[in-house]
Amino acid sequence: MPRERILVVDDNKLILKLVKDYLSSLGFDVATAGNVAEALPLLQAELPHLIVSDVMMPGVNGYDFCRQLKAEPRTAGIPVIILTAHGDIKEKVRGFEAGAD
């Protein structure tokens, strides 16, 4: 049976490795990208079942990436989890407003 695929997008290589290793240990097929520009070709090749994205990245941030995903019919139904070091309610609201799950 094919494993569920998760795309993790984060510019911090250590965080990217930790998240990938953890999710892989749970049996998921994990693809990684260091930024949104790297993630886009991966989304063209194969749609994941879930996307985990950092907020603070160079170029397109995680909120804008989430908005882009939700605006495209092909990717609108993919759940998105936003990772951020900011724990305040304002940042959580921004994530929900962007369409994060």
Side-chain angles (χ1 to χ4, degrees):
M1 176 177 353
R3 299 186 307 169
E4 290 188 342
R5 183 175 179 81
I6 299 174
L7 172 60
V8 181
V9 185
D10 197 315
D11 63 318
N12 183 311
K13 290 181 181 173
L14 178 59
I15 299 295
L16 200 62
K17 180 177 177 3
L18 289 171
V19 173
K20 179 182 180 175
D21 289 350
Y22 179 71
L23 293 172
S24 294
S25 76
L26 296 175
F28 295 102
D29 177 22
V30 182
T32 61
N35 56 49
V36 172
E38 290 178 18
L40 295 177
L42 297 174
L43 289 168
Q44 290 300 319
E46 181 179 357
L47 290 180
H49 295 91
L50 172 71
I51 296 171
V52 178
S53 177
D54 184 25
V55 169
M56 296 177 9
M57 295 183 288
V60 179
N61 68 42
Y63 299 126
D64 290 337
F65 180 43
C66 187
R67 283 186 197 92
Q68 288 175 5
L69 293 166
K70 298 303 179 176
E72 283 290 323
R74 185 170 178 265
T75 56
I78 301 172
V80 177
I81 296 175
I82 299 274
L83 290 180
T84 179
H86 302 285
D88 62 15
I89 193 72
K90 181 179 174 184
E91 294 301 316
K92 291 178 184 177
V93 170
R94 283 185 70 192
F96 290 133
E97 288 175 344
D101 299 284

